[in-house]
Amino acid sequence: MRVRATVAYRGESFHGFAVNLGVRTIGGDLTEALARCLRQPVELTCAGRTDSGVHAWGQVVSFDAPNDADLLHIRTAVNRMLAPAIAIRALEAVPAGFDARFDAIGRTYRYTVLNRDVPDPFLAATAWHCPQPLDIDAMNAAATAILGEHDFSSFCRRQHTADGTEKSRVRVVKRAGWQPADQDLLRFEVEASSFCHQMVRSITGAMVDIGAGRRPAEDMAAILAAKDRSEVPNLAPPHGLCLWSVSYS
């Protein structure tokens, strides 16, 4: 049977999600644990391959399991093996054709900033500490520039397919905005059909520069139009980023 899992993890001890021989990855640990519990090889498909150091609350993966597999037992056993860094939040049987990646119609990321002069040791692994005051209104004004369909070449690393063709960096952003949270935290949430490599971290870095007054909010549209990666020198660190949820029709 095809199985869908919703997975949360802390990414700071891993070299991203994708299985990569010789280094520890989320996908590698999860695949190994599932294979031990199911007593058969497991091939995972994930909704979004997060980078090194990036966290997730709502990553979705799909894989095949025997028809008689006890999913509650599998979830409990895998969580015991992988705690505390990785946890399967939900495990359910789905139609045979379900694909965690290609059936997804939207992905939402959250980026967390601790905006005060004093750092917090308990948030150091999950929030970017920015001691300078940030203007959230300016950052939200900048966020409006990225809504809709655009070529995000200024915010993404170039990637190529197996045959050497350069991948498109055109994406559709459905919503984007900053909100204040408790304990001097600011959260940027952005939803798109999909994201290209380092897109959210680059956008966040540019917006923090705007919030700190190093460039005006109007620059966001100009950066986007330039289609030039050098326009965004300030890449937000990975530990503030979290794949929050994945949506399906």
Side-chain angles (χ1 to χ4, degrees):
M1 62 179 166
R2 183 62 49 88
V3 179
R4 166 178 164 171
T6 303
V7 184
Y9 50 83
R10 289 274 297 265
E12 68 265 30
S13 300
F14 299 89
H15 293 265
F17 186 94
V19 175
N20 190 356
L21 295 179
V23 296
R24 189 183 182 202
T25 68
I26 300 291
D29 279 20
L30 189 57
T31 297
E32 182 179 349
L34 285 167
R36 286 176 61 188
C37 290
L38 295 170
R39 298 182 181 180
Q40 68 175 38
V42 171
E43 184 175 345
L44 292 182
T45 298
C46 70
R49 294 191 297 175
T50 52
D51 290 338
S52 297
V54 176
H55 314 296
W57 174 249
Q59 172 73 276
V60 176
V61 302
S62 55
F63 59 93
D64 289 331
N67 288 328
D68 60 352
D70 183 335
L71 296 185
L72 179 58
H73 171 76
I74 296 299
R75 187 187 71 176
T76 301
V78 169
N79 285 345
R80 284 175 179 167
M81 282 188 270
L82 300 182
I86 304 172
I88 295 179
R89 295 174 48 216
L91 204 57
E92 60 182 325
V94 290
F98 176 79
D99 186 289
R101 178 186 176 190
F102 293 110
D103 286 347
I105 60 172
R107 292 134 174 107
T108 298
Y109 279 88
R110 280 187 178 181
Y111 197 99
T112 303
V113 171
L114 177 63
N115 189 214
R116 68 184 188 200
D117 58 343
V118 178
D120 186 335
F122 294 99
L123 293 173
T126 56
W128 179 19
H129 177 225
C130 295
Q132 68 275 27
L134 298 177
D135 183 345
I136 193 172
D137 291 333
M139 293 191 293
N140 274 323
T144 61
I146 67 171
L147 295 175
E149 181 176 307
H150 302 281
D151 185 328
F152 284 90
S153 293
S154 292
F155 298 99
C156 301
R157 290 183 61 182
R158 290 186 177 183
Q159 292 182 296
H160 297 81
T161 61
D163 64 2
T165 304
E166 189 170 309
K167 293 183 178 180
S168 171
R169 292 181 291 280
V170 174
R171 298 292 188 272
V172 179
V173 173
K174 301 176 182 179
R175 59 187 178 90
W178 290 83
Q179 292 185 347
D182 295 336
Q183 303 296 327
D184 302 305
L185 293 174
L186 302 178
R187 286 202 178 99
F188 174 56
E189 190 164 297
V190 56
E191 180 185 3
S193 52
S194 63
F195 293 87
C196 47
H197 194 210
Q198 296 187 340
M199 178 173 160
V200 180
R201 291 170 58 199
S202 297
I203 290 171
T204 303
M207 290 185 179
V208 166
D209 279 346
I210 288 169
R214 290 188 284 269
R215 57 197 311 171
E218 294 77 14
D219 271 13
M220 202 66 180
I223 293 169
L224 193 62
K227 302 177 185 177
D228 182 356
R229 189 71 181 84
S230 65
E231 287 288 324
V232 188
N234 185 16
L235 182 66
H239 67 272
L241 184 60
C242 181
L243 174 54
W244 191 251
S245 64
V246 182
S247 55
Y248 296 89
S249 59

